[in-house]
C-alpha cells in the first residue's frame, strides 16, 4: 500500500530556517503530520536529517494546526452537482495539481481548507506559517494557471482530473506572484539548475488562484493511495510513532535506520511513509516502488510486527 501522492518526486521541500535548502517531501511531510496525529501521543521521533516537522504545536491526538481531520468532500450529491453547475470555467489538472487536490480534500494538508490565498501564500513564503500567528507550513500550496483573464474573485472553477470532476474551487484570490522571490525564500536559490526552481519558474502557470475547495471525488491514480484517516486506522492509540518518510526503494542502510530508530523509542510503532507522484528523469517509476515496498513488507512483517506501511 502506498500513501497519498505528493510532490516529493519533484524534490519540493520542507524548509529549515537554519538550512534554507530542500529536504525532500513538502507535501509528504504535511501528509505525514496529518496522518500520524490523532492516533499517537504528542511525542514524535525521527532523524533530523529527514526534515520532519515536530508536532509540539498541536494538542495530543490533534491534526497539524487543527482539532480534527479536515475532510472537504461534499457529502450531498445534489449539493455537489449544484457546485459543479455554478462553475464558470473548467480546468483540466496535471498530475502535480491533482496530487495537491487529493491532499487538500482528504486533510493531508491540515489545516488548509483550500488552495492558499495571496495573504496565506505571502506568510508561508516569508515566515513558513499560514498566517502571522498560524500553523507552521513549509511551502505554499497554490493552484497555478497560465491565464486568468476570464476569472474574477468569487468565481467557481471546476477542477477535473483524467475526465473526472474532482473539486470546485471558490476563487477568493487571484494574483501574479514574484516567483524569483518565492524560489529564493523557499529553496534558497533562484538558479534554474535546481529542478524544482526550474519547474516553478519555467514550467508552471504564471498566476495563482486561491480559495476554498469543495471536493466532489477523491482523485484516482495509477498507484494505490491512502488517506490520512486510513493511515491513522493502522496506528494503535497511545503509542509513540517513529516515522520514516521516503520516495525511493528502501535499501539495506535505510532498513537498518528504521530498526535502530524504532528501538530508540520504547514500545513504539515504526511508520514507513513512502510517497509517490510526478517523477524526475531517472527516478524509479512509482508502480515499481510500490512493488518493492510490498515485497519488503511481506518479508519482514513476521519479524517486525511493530512496523506499519502507509
Amino acid at each position: 500500500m502506498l500513501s497519498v501522492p505528493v510532490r516529493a518526486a519533484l524534490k519540493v521541500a520542507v524548509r529549515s530556517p537554519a538550512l534554507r535548502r530542500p529536504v525532500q517531501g513538502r507535501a509528504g511531510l504535511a501528509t505525514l503530520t496529518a496522518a500520524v496525529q490523532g492516533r499517537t501521543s504528542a511525542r514524535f521521533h525521527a532523524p533530523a536529517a529527514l526534515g520532519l516537522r515536530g508536532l509540539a504545536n498541536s494538542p495530543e491526538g490533534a491534526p497539524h494546526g487543527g482539532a480534527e481531520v479536515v475532510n472537504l468532500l461534499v457529502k450531498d450529491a445534489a449539493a455537489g452537482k449544484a457546485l459543479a453547475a455554478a462553475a464558470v470555467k473548467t480546468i483540466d489538472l496535471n498530475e502535480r495539481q491533482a496530487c495537491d487536490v487529493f491532499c487538500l480534500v482528504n486533510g493531508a494538508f491540515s489545516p488548509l481548507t483550500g488552495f492558499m490565498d495571496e495573504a496565506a501564500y505571502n506568510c508561508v513564503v516569508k515566515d513558513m506559517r499560514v498566517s502571522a500567528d498560524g500553523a507552521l507550513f513549509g511551502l505554499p500550496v497554490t493552484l497555478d494557471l497560465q491565464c486568468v483573464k476570464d476569472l474574477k474573485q468569487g468565481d467557481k472553477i471546476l477542477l477535473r482530473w483524467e475526465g473526472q470532476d474532482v473539486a470546485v474551487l471558490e476563487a477568493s484570490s487571484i494574483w501574479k506572484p514574484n516567483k524569483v522571490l518565492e524560489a529564493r525564500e523557499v529553496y534558497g536559490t533562484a538558479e534554474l539548475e535546481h529542478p524544482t526552481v526550474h519547474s516553478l519558474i519555467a514550467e508552471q502557470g504564471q498566476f495563482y488562484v486561491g480559495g476554498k475547495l469543495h471536493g466532489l471525488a477523491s482523485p484516482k491514480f495509477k498507484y494505490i493511495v491512502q488517506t490520512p484517516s486510513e493511515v491513522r486506522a493502522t496506528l494503535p492509540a497511545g503509542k509513540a510513532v517513529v516515522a520514516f518518510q521516503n520516495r525511493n526503494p528502501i535499501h539495506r542502510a535505510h532498513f537498518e535506520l528504521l530498526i535502530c530508530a524504532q528501538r530508540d523509542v520504547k514500545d513504539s510503532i515504526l511508520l514507513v511513509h513512502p510517497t509517490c507522484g510526478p517523477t524526475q528523469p531517472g527516478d524509479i517509476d512509482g508502480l515499481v516502488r510500490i512493488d518493492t515496498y510490498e515485497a519488503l513488507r511481506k518479508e519482514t512483517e513476521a519479524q517486525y510486527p511493530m512496523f506499519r506501511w502507509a
Side-chain angles (χ1 to χ4, degrees):
M1 296 178 294
L2 197 67
S3 64
V4 293
V6 297
R7 293 191 204 173
L10 289 174
K11 284 187 178 289
V12 286
V14 168
R15 291 146 58 202
S16 161
L19 226 59
R20 282 298 198 200
R21 66 175 63 179
V23 182
Q24 286 181 181
R26 171 201 106 172
L29 297 177
T31 301
L32 179 59
T33 301
V36 174
Q37 294 171 352
R39 293 293 296 177
T40 73
S41 68
R43 185 176 184 183
F44 189 87
H45 178 89
L50 297 180
L52 297 174
R53 289 197 294 242
L55 308 186
N57 64 335
S58 295
E60 181 173 347
H64 180 64
E68 58 185 31
V69 179
V70 173
N71 185 343
L72 304 181
L73 289 168
V74 176
K75 303 298 189 296
D76 182 77
K81 289 181 180 179
L83 282 166
V88 301
K89 187 178 182 67
T90 298
I91 300 295
D92 288 311
L93 304 172
N94 58 38
E95 186 179 11
R96 170 179 53 80
Q97 294 167 331
C99 288
D100 280 350
V101 169
F102 182 101
C103 290
L104 284 165
V105 300
N106 289 294
F109 283 164
S110 175
L112 301 185
T113 57
F115 285 102
M116 292 179 180
D117 60 19
E118 186 173 8
Y121 162 84
N122 287 332
C123 283
V124 170
V125 169
K126 180 182 177 182
D127 297 319
M128 292 191 293
R129 293 190 178 275
V130 294
S131 63
D133 57 352
L136 182 70
F137 218 94
L139 280 87
V141 179
T142 54
L143 178 67
D144 61 290
L145 298 178
Q146 190 58 37
C147 178
V148 295
K149 68 176 183 178
D150 296 327
L151 293 175
K152 63 183 184 301
Q153 288 184 350
D155 282 347
K156 290 182 174 64
I157 306 169
L158 180 62
L159 305 182
R160 182 172 291 163
W161 165 243
E162 296 288 303
Q164 182 184 32
D165 296 342
V166 293
V168 172
L169 174 66
E170 293 187 37
S172 62
S173 187
I174 304 171
W175 76 103
K176 186 174 183 179
N178 183 338
K179 291 194 175 185
V180 173
L181 176 63
E182 178 182 340
R184 286 175 178 163
E185 288 294 316
V186 172
Y187 304 110
T189 179
E191 297 294 330
L192 294 180
E193 286 77 10
H194 188 295
T196 306
V197 171
H198 183 274
S199 175
L200 174 70
I201 295 177
E203 298 174 354
Q204 297 178 25
Q206 60 179 322
F207 296 95
Y208 288 163
V209 180
K212 183 175 178 56
L213 200 64
H214 303 273
L216 304 180
S218 188
K220 303 294 192 296
F221 301 92
K222 62 183 180 180
Y223 29 80
I224 299 171
V225 298
Q226 285 184 304
T227 67
S229 294
E230 290 170 335
V231 175
R232 289 168 181 242
T234 70
L235 304 174
K239 284 185 176 289
V241 173
V242 179
F244 181 82
Q245 200 257 341
N246 57 296
R247 71 177 187 91
N248 288 314
I250 294 176
H251 54 64
R252 182 67 184 181
H254 278 149
F255 197 74
E256 290 299 321
L257 175 63
L258 303 186
I259 296 170
C260 293
Q262 189 276 330
R263 288 174 179 169
D264 190 48
V265 181
K266 185 178 180 181
D267 196 31
S268 64
I269 294 297
L270 189 288
L271 175 65
V272 182
H273 187 270
T275 65
C276 201
T279 57
Q280 297 180 118
D283 274 353
I284 296 174
D285 181 76
L287 292 175
V288 175
R289 278 181 273 153
I290 293 173
D291 288 342
T292 67
Y293 300 139
E294 282 293 314
L296 189 57
R297 179 184 64 82
K298 292 176 182 178
E299 289 178 8
T300 61
E301 59 187 358
Q303 187 175 1
Y304 300 99
M306 73 292 292
F307 280 25
R308 299 291 186 275
W309 298 74

